[in-house]
Amino acid sequence: MDRLLSWNDQYWAWVVIPLIVVTSLLYLVLTRGVQFRLFGQMIKGLREDPGEGTEGHRRVSAFQAFAISSAARVGTGNIVGVSTAIAVGGPGAVFWMWIMAITVAATAFAESTLAQVYKERTPEGFKGGPSYYMKHGLKAPWLGAVFAVILIFTYPFSFNMVQANTFTGAVSDSLDGMGVATGGATAWIIGIVLAAITAAVVFGGLQRIAHFAQLAVPAMALVYLGLGTAIVVINADELPGAIASIFNSAFGIEQFAGAALGTVIIQGVRRGMFSNEGGMGSAPNAGATATVSHPVKQGLTQAFGVYFDTIFICSISAFIILTTNPVYGDANVNLVTRGVDAALGGWALQVMALILVLFTFTSVVGNYFYGESSVRYLRDSRWTVGALRVVVVGLVLLGSVASLETVWSIADVTMGLMATVNLVAVLGLTGVTVKVLRDYDKQRKAGLDPVFTRESVPGLTGMQVWEPETEPVARAYEK
């Protein structure tokens, strides 16, 4: 296992990270900084009304698709991951997390735009993701199958077991803090409750998952942002020093816990990718489900998801840590929890436990959805989807009571492989993304609210939807 982990570290350092950086910089240039110049459209797109589907059922909105992907993105990585990055790499790791988020937003835009272009229609609405743009765009269905298998193992299986374990630990810590006696049976009881709630959500199908995410994601984000803002205000005199330490450490001017400049950069970039999932190929599975008038709209919405995760949520974790005199060097210490305790006292630890519970449970639901999308690609039947739901609920229960170091380590490896396969596809379809974006820009320049059809980009093939007779007519753009 140690040899596998050593190989994985080298693989990330020399393959995954360079590949995501090259892809993101390429898209930054070719799209003329789409993540900057169309930032206002990211916010506007969240409010688009999807209308009604067949038999009066509501379709999945752009915001609901954004919420599903954010449910998976916003998890323990935003707390524990940031803590580890700072503990090992020092405050400068935060700077490189920011740079990574700003840069990789272009790739996040591309992968979700492609997911919309090559999505398929289902009785519930739409399905799609990297497997589908590999199949219809690259004409390589076998590559889509490889990606789907890797994703299923990584997200709904491995990561959900880890999230369930974190959930159980957070609830147990909260009970201990309230003086409630806990023992060997506690984890089983918590696991059974978590598995039951998970079953209630995932067996409800896409619409129930979408509505759950729409409510849960904003709620948990507001609670955490509120707690973090309160701590920063209390320690406002420490804020200038914290900001200075981020920039000084980022360029090796100051060192913390012996972290060399290379370590600082690698920690920031890698933890940033773990957190916001830009380029990983996970978020496009949610992005494809949205009903929008133009693929670029959902691409922009998912690019905003990278900002939401890293610039907002991860940054508040960083400032909680850096304004409360952290101790560097020990990756096993949760510096966020320590900072909350130091700033607000023991009562706030109960709030942190609640936040961790929310973060982990929404991640379980989001991760499951990614798995369902991949299973539907391999074999879209009621039996296979039902089997996945049963297995996921069972693994959530198992994860609540098991030791998961080996599972986490292997999932770390498969996540790197997953990112590699996806980025190769995104690079291969660069021309499609750029042409579709040009169509969007052209319509906006003409004063229209952009609408996409199969005829919008001459020569573009492989699309399963976007028929002119069923898509809305372009209308005047509302500024």
Side-chain angles (χ1 to χ4, degrees), residues 90-161:
V94 178
F95 174 83
W96 294 108
M97 288 180 72
W98 290 340
I99 294 299
M100 189 62 182
I102 292 170
T103 306
V104 83
T107 301
F109 161 80
E111 60 184 358
S112 286
T113 297
L114 290 170
Q116 276 284 325
V117 171
Y118 295 109
K119 66 186 179 182
E120 296 180 1
R121 186 173 282 108
T122 73
E124 288 186 317
F126 300 105
K127 64 178 180 178
S131 292
Y132 295 85
Y133 53 72
M134 292 170 194
K135 176 182 178 180
H136 301 302
L138 290 180
K139 313 301 182 186
W142 64 269
L143 189 61
V146 169
F147 179 87
V149 171
I150 297 174
L151 185 147
I152 290 168
F153 180 85
T154 304
Y155 278 87
F157 289 2
S158 301
F159 282 177
N160 266 3
M161 291 179 70

Side-chain angles (χ1 to χ4, degrees), residues 61-388:
S61 68
F63 179 75
Q64 286 176 324
F66 163 80
I68 292 172
S69 62
S70 294
R73 278 192 182 111
V74 180
T76 53
N78 298 84
I79 297 176
V80 180
V82 174
S83 173
T84 301
I86 293 175
V88 177
V94 178
F95 174 83
W96 294 108
M97 288 180 72
W98 290 340
I99 294 299
M100 189 62 182
I102 292 170
T103 306
V104 83
T107 301
F109 161 80
E111 60 184 358
S112 286
T113 297
L114 290 170
Q116 276 284 325
V117 171
Y118 295 109
K119 66 186 179 182
E120 296 180 1
R121 186 173 282 108
T122 73
E124 288 186 317
F126 300 105
K127 64 178 180 178
S131 292
Y132 295 85
Y133 53 72
M134 292 170 194
K135 176 182 178 180
H136 301 302
L138 290 180
K139 313 301 182 186
W142 64 269
L143 189 61
V146 169
F147 179 87
V149 171
I150 297 174
L151 185 147
I152 290 168
F153 180 85
T154 304
Y155 278 87
F157 289 2
S158 301
F159 282 177
N160 266 3
M161 291 179 70
V162 175
Q163 295 289 357
N165 197 267
T166 304
F167 180 98
T168 302
V171 175
S172 296
D173 290 345
S174 177
L175 293 174
D176 289 338
M178 292 186 293
V180 178
T182 58
T186 304
W188 279 103
I189 295 172
I190 297 171
I192 291 171
V193 172
L194 173 60
I197 299 174
T198 301
V201 175
V202 302
F203 274 93
L206 173 60
Q207 290 294 333
R208 185 175 296 176
I209 293 172
H211 288 302
F212 167 79
Q214 183 180 28
L215 296 173
V217 170
M220 70 180 187
L222 286 174
V223 171
Y224 189 54
L225 289 172
L227 181 71
T229 301
I231 292 173
V232 172
V233 170
I234 291 172
N235 298 308
D237 55 330
E238 301 287 341
L239 190 58
I243 295 174
S245 68
I246 289 174
F247 288 94
N248 290 336
S249 173
F251 299 101
I253 299 173
E254 295 179 20
Q255 286 193 359
F256 294 80
L261 180 58
T263 302
V264 175
I265 296 173
I266 291 296
Q267 282 295 320
V269 171
R270 188 169 172 180
R271 294 298 170 179
M273 278 193 70
F274 271 135
S275 179
N276 62 52
E277 300 180 11
M280 300 302 299
S282 50
N285 292 281
T289 64
T291 300
V292 291
S293 66
H294 199 288
V296 165
K297 291 185 176 182
Q298 193 59 27
L300 292 170
T301 298
Q302 294 300 334
F304 177 73
V306 173
Y307 291 153
F308 173 75
D309 177 273
T310 303
I311 305 300
F312 298 152
I313 307 296
C314 287
S315 292
I316 205 67
S317 295
F319 285 120
I320 289 174
I321 293 170
L322 297 176
T323 58
T324 52
N325 300 314
V327 177
Y328 302 102
D330 189 350
N332 295 316
V333 176
N334 188 333
L335 296 178
V336 177
T337 301
R338 204 165 166 176
V340 170
D341 186 28
L344 301 177
W347 68 269
L349 295 180
Q350 297 297 325
V351 179
M352 274 301 300
L354 174 62
I355 290 169
L356 272 173
V357 164
L358 286 172
F359 277 20
T360 53
F361 181 65
T362 55
S363 290
V364 166
V365 174
N367 291 344
Y368 160 76
F369 176 77
Y370 292 162
E372 179 177 320
S373 178
S374 294
V375 164
R376 288 185 182 277
Y377 175 81
L378 295 171
R379 184 176 177 81
D380 192 354
S381 71
R382 186 174 299 179
W383 184 90
T384 53
V385 172
L388 174 70

Side-chain angles (χ1 to χ4, degrees), residues 388-424:
L388 174 70
R389 291 169 178 171
V390 171
V391 171
V392 166
V393 171
L395 290 176
V396 164
L397 176 58
L398 178 62
S400 299
V401 298
S403 176
L404 300 173
E405 290 185 11
T406 301
V407 173
W408 175 259
S409 299
I410 295 175
D412 191 13
V413 174
T414 59
M415 195 172 187
L417 296 174
M418 192 177 93
T420 303
V421 175
N422 178 59
L423 291 170
V424 167

